[in-house]
Amino acid sequence: MTKLDHAQIENLLQELDGWTYANGSIQKSFIFKDFKEAFSIMTRIAFEAEQQNHHPNWENVYNQLTIKLNTHDVGGITQNDFDLATAIEDITSKG
Amino acid sequence: MTKLDHAQIENLLQELDGWTYANGSIQKSFIFKDFKEAFSIMTRIAFEAEQQNHHPNWENVYNQLTIKLNTHDVGGITQNDFDLATAIEDITSKG
Protein backbone atom coordinates (compact mmCIF):
# COMPACT_ATOMS: atom_id res chain seq x y z
CA MET A 1 0.00 0.00 0.00
CA THR A 2 1.75 3.12 -1.23
CA LYS A 3 1.15 6.63 0.00
CA LEU A 4 0.11 8.75 -2.97
CA ASP A 5 1.80 12.08 -3.64
CA HIS A 6 -0.08 15.30 -4.15
CA ALA A 7 -0.05 15.11 -7.95
CA GLN A 8 -1.38 11.55 -7.90
CA ILE A 9 -4.14 12.57 -5.48
CA GLU A 10 -5.17 15.52 -7.65
CA ASN A 11 -5.23 13.28 -10.73
CA LEU A 12 -7.41 10.66 -9.08
CA LEU A 13 -9.76 13.30 -7.62
CA GLN A 14 -10.62 14.34 -11.16
CA GLU A 15 -12.20 10.93 -11.73
CA LEU A 16 -14.60 11.54 -8.83
CA ASP A 17 -17.47 14.00 -8.51
CA GLY A 18 -17.07 16.74 -5.92
CA TRP A 19 -14.39 15.20 -3.73
CA THR A 20 -11.65 17.48 -2.44
CA TYR A 21 -8.37 17.00 -0.61
CA ALA A 22 -8.06 18.87 2.68
CA ASN A 23 -6.29 18.32 6.00
CA GLY A 24 -4.86 14.95 5.03
CA SER A 25 -8.14 13.43 3.83
CA ILE A 26 -10.16 13.22 0.67
CA GLN A 27 -13.65 14.33 1.57
CA LYS A 28 -17.15 15.06 0.38
CA SER A 29 -20.37 16.28 1.99
CA PHE A 30 -23.81 15.07 1.05
CA ILE A 31 -27.34 16.33 1.73
CA PHE A 32 -30.14 13.79 1.67
CA LYS A 33 -33.93 14.12 2.00
CA ASP A 34 -34.06 13.32 5.68
CA PHE A 35 -32.45 11.21 8.39
CA LYS A 36 -33.91 7.95 7.16
CA GLU A 37 -32.46 8.46 3.72
CA ALA A 38 -29.09 9.54 5.13
CA PHE A 39 -28.82 6.57 7.45
CA SER A 40 -29.97 4.13 4.77
CA ILE A 41 -27.14 5.32 2.54
CA MET A 42 -24.74 5.11 5.48
CA THR A 43 -25.77 1.50 6.00
CA ARG A 44 -25.00 0.62 2.41
CA ILE A 45 -21.64 2.37 2.69
CA ALA A 46 -20.94 0.55 5.99
CA PHE A 47 -21.30 -2.85 4.33
CA GLU A 48 -19.03 -1.77 1.48
CA ALA A 49 -16.43 -0.38 3.89
CA GLU A 50 -16.45 -3.58 5.91
CA GLN A 51 -16.03 -5.63 2.75
CA GLN A 52 -13.09 -3.47 1.63
CA ASN A 53 -11.73 -3.55 5.19
CA HIS A 54 -11.29 0.20 4.92
CA HIS A 55 -13.46 2.50 7.00
CA PRO A 56 -14.57 6.12 6.70
CA ASN A 57 -14.35 8.93 9.19
CA TRP A 58 -17.85 10.26 8.87
CA GLU A 59 -20.12 12.72 10.60
CA ASN A 60 -23.88 12.86 10.31
CA VAL A 61 -26.53 15.18 11.59
CA TYR A 62 -30.10 14.68 10.34
CA ASN A 63 -29.88 14.77 6.51
CA GLN A 64 -26.24 15.87 6.30
CA LEU A 65 -23.28 13.52 5.90
CA THR A 66 -19.60 14.41 5.63
CA ILE A 67 -17.18 11.63 4.73
CA LYS A 68 -13.40 11.88 5.12
CA LEU A 69 -11.10 9.15 3.90
CA ASN A 70 -7.45 8.55 4.64
CA THR A 71 -5.18 5.61 5.36
CA HIS A 72 -4.09 5.73 8.97
CA ASP A 73 -1.33 3.12 8.49
CA VAL A 74 0.63 5.28 6.03
CA GLY A 75 -0.44 8.68 7.37
CA GLY A 76 -1.83 9.76 4.04
CA ILE A 77 -3.93 8.81 1.04
CA THR A 78 -3.67 5.47 -0.76
CA GLN A 79 -5.50 3.71 -3.55
CA ASN A 80 -7.69 2.15 -0.83
CA ASP A 81 -9.20 5.58 -0.17
CA PHE A 82 -10.03 6.05 -3.82
CA ASP A 83 -11.48 2.54 -4.05
CA LEU A 84 -13.84 3.30 -1.17
CA ALA A 85 -14.66 6.77 -2.57
CA THR A 86 -15.54 5.18 -5.90
CA ALA A 87 -17.88 2.71 -4.16
CA ILE A 88 -19.47 5.59 -2.22
CA GLU A 89 -20.01 7.50 -5.47
CA ASP A 90 -21.66 4.43 -6.93
CA ILE A 91 -23.97 4.07 -3.91
CA THR A 92 -24.90 7.74 -3.59
CA SER A 93 -25.41 8.39 -7.31
CA LYS A 94 -27.97 5.59 -7.53
CA GLY A 95 -30.21 7.57 -5.14
CA MET B 1 -40.03 22.46 24.53
CA THR B 2 -38.12 24.53 27.08
CA LYS B 3 -34.45 25.35 26.90
CA LEU B 4 -32.80 24.05 30.07
CA ASP B 5 -30.51 26.30 32.09
CA HIS B 6 -27.04 25.33 33.17
CA ALA B 7 -28.07 24.11 36.63
CA GLN B 8 -30.82 21.92 35.15
CA ILE B 9 -28.39 20.47 32.64
CA GLU B 10 -25.83 19.67 35.33
CA ASN B 11 -28.51 18.02 37.46
CA LEU B 12 -29.76 15.83 34.64
CA LEU B 13 -26.21 14.90 33.59
CA GLN B 14 -25.73 13.30 36.99
CA GLU B 15 -28.39 10.74 36.09
CA LEU B 16 -26.35 9.65 33.07
CA ASP B 17 -23.03 7.82 32.90
CA GLY B 18 -20.10 9.75 31.45
CA TRP B 19 -21.97 12.44 29.55
CA THR B 20 -20.58 15.97 29.68
CA TYR B 21 -21.79 19.39 28.57
CA ALA B 22 -19.47 21.23 26.18
CA ASN B 23 -19.86 23.72 23.36
CA GLY B 24 -23.63 23.77 23.51
CA SER B 25 -24.12 20.00 23.40
CA ILE B 26 -24.29 17.12 25.81
CA GLN B 27 -21.86 14.53 24.56
CA LYS B 28 -20.20 11.19 25.10
CA SER B 29 -17.59 9.11 23.28
CA PHE B 30 -17.69 5.35 22.99
CA ILE B 31 -15.16 2.72 21.97
CA PHE B 32 -16.47 -0.56 20.62
CA LYS B 33 -14.77 -3.79 19.58
CA ASP B 34 -14.62 -3.01 15.89
CA PHE B 35 -16.50 -1.27 13.09
CA LYS B 36 -19.21 -3.90 12.87
CA GLU B 37 -20.04 -3.51 16.54
CA ALA B 38 -19.93 0.30 16.33
CA PHE B 39 -22.21 0.43 13.31
CA SER B 40 -24.62 -2.12 14.77
CA ILE B 41 -25.03 0.07 17.84
CA MET B 42 -25.43 3.13 15.59
CA THR B 43 -28.22 1.35 13.74
CA ARG B 44 -30.09 0.69 16.96
CA ILE B 45 -29.63 4.32 17.99
CA ALA B 46 -30.79 5.46 14.53
CA PHE B 47 -34.12 3.68 14.93
CA GLU B 48 -34.58 5.14 18.40
CA ALA B 49 -33.69 8.65 17.18
CA GLU B 50 -36.16 8.37 14.32
CA GLN B 51 -38.87 7.20 16.71
CA GLN B 52 -38.18 10.12 19.06
CA ASN B 53 -37.95 12.44 16.04
CA HIS B 54 -34.76 13.81 17.57
CA HIS B 55 -31.46 13.12 15.88
CA PRO B 56 -27.84 13.03 17.03
CA ASN B 57 -24.82 14.80 15.67
CA TRP B 58 -22.43 11.88 15.59
CA GLU B 59 -19.01 11.04 14.25
CA ASN B 60 -17.63 7.58 13.74
CA VAL B 61 -14.29 6.19 12.68
CA TYR B 62 -13.74 2.44 12.89
CA ASN B 63 -14.60 1.46 16.50
CA GLN B 64 -14.95 5.01 17.86
CA LEU B 65 -18.21 6.92 18.13
CA THR B 66 -18.76 10.43 19.49
CA ILE B 67 -22.34 11.57 20.00
CA LYS B 68 -23.36 15.20 20.55
CA LEU B 69 -26.95 16.14 21.33
CA ASN B 70 -28.61 19.52 21.28
CA THR B 71 -31.93 20.99 20.20
CA HIS B 72 -31.42 23.15 17.16
CA ASP B 73 -34.87 24.78 17.40
CA VAL B 74 -34.15 26.39 20.78
CA GLY B 75 -30.38 26.80 20.36
CA GLY B 76 -29.64 24.78 23.47
CA ILE B 77 -30.42 21.66 25.47
CA THR B 78 -33.95 20.41 26.15
CA GLN B 79 -35.52 17.38 27.77
CA ASN B 80 -35.56 15.81 24.28
CA ASP B 81 -31.76 15.59 24.42
CA PHE B 82 -31.85 13.83 27.74
CA ASP B 83 -34.57 11.46 26.53
CA LEU B 84 -32.41 10.43 23.58
CA ALA B 85 -29.27 10.23 25.77
CA THR B 86 -31.15 7.93 28.16
CA ALA B 87 -32.17 5.68 25.27
CA ILE B 88 -28.56 5.64 24.02
CA GLU B 89 -27.35 4.66 27.49
CA ASP B 90 -29.87 1.84 27.51
CA ILE B 91 -28.72 0.59 24.10
CA THR B 92 -24.99 0.87 24.75
CA SER B 93 -25.04 -0.56 28.27
CA LYS B 94 -26.72 -3.75 27.04
CA GLY B 95 -23.60 -4.48 25.02
Side-chain angles (χ1 to χ4, degrees), chain A residues 5 7 13 15 19 29 33 38-40 51 54 75 77 80 89-90 92:
Chain A
D5 67 27
L13 281 174
E15 294 170 27
W19 290 75
S29 293
K33 195 181 85 183
F39 198 79
S40 299
Q51 190 179 330
H54 193 63
I77 307 297
N80 288 356
E89 280 301 283
D90 192 44
T92 55

mmCIF file of all heavy atoms in Angstrom, chain A residues 5 7 13 15 19 29 33 38-40 51 54 75 77 80 89-90 92:
data_model
loop_
_atom_site.group_PDB
_atom_site.id
_atom_site.type_symbol
_atom_site.label_atom_id
_atom_site.label_comp_id
_atom_site.label_asym_id
_atom_site.label_seq_id
_atom_site.Cartn_x
_atom_site.Cartn_y
_atom_site.Cartn_z
ATOM 1 N N ASP A 5 1.328 10.694 -3.760
ATOM 2 C CA ASP A 5 1.797 12.080 -3.642
ATOM 3 C C ASP A 5 0.705 13.038 -4.126
ATOM 4 O O ASP A 5 -0.337 12.621 -4.638
ATOM 5 C CB ASP A 5 3.126 12.288 -4.370
ATOM 6 C CG ASP A 5 3.006 12.150 -5.879
ATOM 7 O OD1 ASP A 5 1.911 12.399 -6.434
ATOM 8 O OD2 ASP A 5 4.014 11.789 -6.520
ATOM 9 N N ALA A 7 0.342 15.121 -6.539
ATOM 10 C CA ALA A 7 -0.053 15.114 -7.950
ATOM 11 C C ALA A 7 -0.934 13.904 -8.258
ATOM 12 O O ALA A 7 -1.930 14.014 -8.995
ATOM 13 C CB ALA A 7 1.191 15.112 -8.835
ATOM 14 N N LEU A 13 -8.566 12.531 -8.018
ATOM 15 C CA LEU A 13 -9.756 13.299 -7.621
ATOM 16 C C LEU A 13 -10.586 13.704 -8.838
ATOM 17 O O LEU A 13 -11.812 13.822 -8.753
ATOM 18 C CB LEU A 13 -9.354 14.557 -6.840
ATOM 19 C CG LEU A 13 -8.997 14.361 -5.367
ATOM 20 C CD1 LEU A 13 -8.487 15.669 -4.775
ATOM 21 C CD2 LEU A 13 -10.184 13.834 -4.560
ATOM 22 N N GLU A 15 -11.324 12.024 -11.290
ATOM 23 C CA GLU A 15 -12.197 10.934 -11.734
ATOM 24 C C GLU A 15 -13.438 10.820 -10.854
ATOM 25 O O GLU A 15 -14.336 10.040 -11.125
ATOM 26 C CB GLU A 15 -11.431 9.605 -11.728
ATOM 27 C CG GLU A 15 -10.318 9.589 -12.772
ATOM 28 C CD GLU A 15 -9.392 8.382 -12.610
ATOM 29 O OE1 GLU A 15 -9.861 7.358 -12.092
ATOM 30 O OE2 GLU A 15 -8.214 8.502 -12.987
ATOM 31 N N TRP A 19 -15.290 15.498 -4.837
ATOM 32 C CA TRP A 19 -14.392 15.200 -3.729
ATOM 33 C C TRP A 19 -13.228 16.178 -3.742
ATOM 34 O O TRP A 19 -12.742 16.577 -4.795
ATOM 35 C CB TRP A 19 -13.867 13.768 -3.827
ATOM 36 C CG TRP A 19 -14.899 12.715 -3.550
ATOM 37 C CD1 TRP A 19 -15.899 12.327 -4.401
ATOM 38 C CD2 TRP A 19 -15.045 11.944 -2.361
ATOM 39 N NE1 TRP A 19 -16.664 11.345 -3.790
ATOM 40 C CE2 TRP A 19 -16.159 11.086 -2.549
ATOM 41 C CE3 TRP A 19 -14.352 11.873 -1.148
ATOM 42 C CZ2 TRP A 19 -16.584 10.184 -1.568
ATOM 43 C CZ3 TRP A 19 -14.778 10.973 -0.186
ATOM 44 C CH2 TRP A 19 -15.875 10.141 -0.394
ATOM 45 N N SER A 29 -19.155 16.143 1.182
ATOM 46 C CA SER A 29 -20.366 16.278 1.991
ATOM 47 C C SER A 29 -21.593 16.024 1.135
ATOM 48 O O SER A 29 -21.618 16.371 -0.054
ATOM 49 C CB SER A 29 -20.446 17.675 2.615
ATOM 50 O OG SER A 29 -19.408 17.837 3.557
ATOM 51 N N LYS A 33 -32.569 13.620 1.762
ATOM 52 C CA LYS A 33 -33.927 14.119 1.996
ATOM 53 C C LYS A 33 -34.189 14.288 3.489
ATOM 54 O O LYS A 33 -34.740 15.292 3.927
ATOM 55 C CB LYS A 33 -34.952 13.146 1.389
ATOM 56 C CG LYS A 33 -36.350 13.720 1.240
ATOM 57 C CD LYS A 33 -37.321 12.696 0.669
ATOM 58 C CE LYS A 33 -37.895 11.815 1.762
ATOM 59 N NZ LYS A 33 -38.796 10.763 1.291
ATOM 60 N N ALA A 38 -30.522 9.443 4.821
ATOM 61 C CA ALA A 38 -29.086 9.542 5.127
ATOM 62 C C ALA A 38 -28.584 8.251 5.770
ATOM 63 O O ALA A 38 -27.548 7.697 5.367
ATOM 64 C CB ALA A 38 -28.823 10.733 6.055
ATOM 65 N N PHE A 39 -29.317 7.753 6.747
ATOM 66 C CA PHE A 39 -28.820 6.572 7.452
ATOM 67 C C PHE A 39 -28.917 5.315 6.584
ATOM 68 O O PHE A 39 -28.098 4.400 6.716
ATOM 69 C CB PHE A 39 -29.538 6.375 8.802
ATOM 70 C CG PHE A 39 -28.749 5.456 9.692
ATOM 71 C CD1 PHE A 39 -27.640 5.935 10.387
ATOM 72 C CD2 PHE A 39 -29.063 4.111 9.791
ATOM 73 C CE1 PHE A 39 -26.873 5.082 11.177
ATOM 74 C CE2 PHE A 39 -28.305 3.252 10.582
ATOM 75 C CZ PHE A 39 -27.211 3.744 11.271
ATOM 76 N N SER A 40 -29.892 5.266 5.699
ATOM 77 C CA SER A 40 -29.966 4.127 4.768
ATOM 78 C C SER A 40 -28.740 4.078 3.874
ATOM 79 O O SER A 40 -28.142 3.015 3.663
ATOM 80 C CB SER A 40 -31.235 4.238 3.909
ATOM 81 O OG SER A 40 -32.389 4.217 4.718
ATOM 82 N N GLN A 51 -16.499 -4.673 3.749
ATOM 83 C CA GLN A 51 -16.027 -5.625 2.745
ATOM 84 C C GLN A 51 -14.635 -5.245 2.235
ATOM 85 O O GLN A 51 -13.777 -6.110 2.011
ATOM 86 C CB GLN A 51 -17.021 -5.667 1.579
ATOM 87 C CG GLN A 51 -16.742 -6.794 0.594
ATOM 88 C CD GLN A 51 -17.767 -6.822 -0.538
ATOM 89 O OE1 GLN A 51 -18.927 -6.435 -0.356
ATOM 90 N NE2 GLN A 51 -17.344 -7.261 -1.706
ATOM 91 N N HIS A 54 -11.806 -1.175 4.903
ATOM 92 C CA HIS A 54 -11.295 0.204 4.918
ATOM 93 C C HIS A 54 -12.481 1.081 5.312
ATOM 94 O O HIS A 54 -13.531 1.003 4.675
ATOM 95 C CB HIS A 54 -10.754 0.569 3.537
ATOM 96 C CG HIS A 54 -9.946 1.829 3.540
ATOM 97 N ND1 HIS A 54 -8.770 1.938 4.251
ATOM 98 C CD2 HIS A 54 -10.143 3.014 2.927
ATOM 99 C CE1 HIS A 54 -8.284 3.151 4.074
ATOM 100 N NE2 HIS A 54 -9.089 3.826 3.272
ATOM 101 N N GLY A 75 -0.351 7.240 7.086
ATOM 102 C CA GLY A 75 -0.436 8.676 7.374
ATOM 103 C C GLY A 75 -0.685 9.508 6.135
ATOM 104 O O GLY A 75 -0.117 10.589 5.972
ATOM 105 N N ILE A 77 -2.903 9.331 1.948
ATOM 106 C CA ILE A 77 -3.932 8.811 1.043
ATOM 107 C C ILE A 77 -3.342 7.671 0.216
ATOM 108 O O ILE A 77 -2.214 7.774 -0.274
ATOM 109 C CB ILE A 77 -4.408 9.927 0.084
ATOM 110 C CG1 ILE A 77 -4.843 11.180 0.869
ATOM 111 C CG2 ILE A 77 -5.538 9.427 -0.819
ATOM 112 C CD1 ILE A 77 -6.011 10.981 1.782
ATOM 113 N N ASN A 80 -6.542 2.648 -1.620
ATOM 114 C CA ASN A 80 -7.688 2.152 -0.828
ATOM 115 C C ASN A 80 -8.735 3.244 -0.608
ATOM 116 O O ASN A 80 -9.938 2.970 -0.600
ATOM 117 C CB ASN A 80 -7.228 1.655 0.551
ATOM 118 C CG ASN A 80 -6.467 0.338 0.458
ATOM 119 O OD1 ASN A 80 -6.339 -0.242 -0.615
ATOM 120 N ND2 ASN A 80 -5.947 -0.121 1.587
ATOM 121 N N GLU A 89 -19.408 6.789 -4.333
ATOM 122 C CA GLU A 89 -20.010 7.502 -5.470
ATOM 123 C C GLU A 89 -21.071 6.643 -6.138
ATOM 124 O O GLU A 89 -22.143 7.116 -6.505
ATOM 125 C CB GLU A 89 -18.940 7.885 -6.501
ATOM 126 C CG GLU A 89 -18.144 9.110 -6.137
ATOM 127 C CD GLU A 89 -19.042 10.337 -5.972
ATOM 128 O OE1 GLU A 89 -19.468 10.892 -6.985
ATOM 129 O OE2 GLU A 89 -19.327 10.707 -4.813
ATOM 130 N N ASP A 90 -20.741 5.357 -6.290
ATOM 131 C CA ASP A 90 -21.663 4.434 -6.929
ATOM 132 C C ASP A 90 -22.953 4.330 -6.107
ATOM 133 O O ASP A 90 -24.061 4.379 -6.642
ATOM 134 C CB ASP A 90 -20.989 3.068 -7.054
ATOM 135 C CG ASP A 90 -21.761 2.140 -7.962
ATOM 136 O OD1 ASP A 90 -22.199 2.592 -9.033
ATOM 137 O OD2 ASP A 90 -21.946 0.965 -7.586
ATOM 138 N N THR A 92 -24.151 6.491 -3.765
ATOM 139 C CA THR A 92 -24.898 7.736 -3.594
ATOM 140 C C THR A 92 -25.499 8.228 -4.912
ATOM 141 O O THR A 92 -26.520 8.907 -4.896
ATOM 142 C CB THR A 92 -24.028 8.855 -2.984
ATOM 143 O OG1 THR A 92 -22.858 9.032 -3.791
ATOM 144 C CG2 THR A 92 -23.607 8.500 -1.571
#
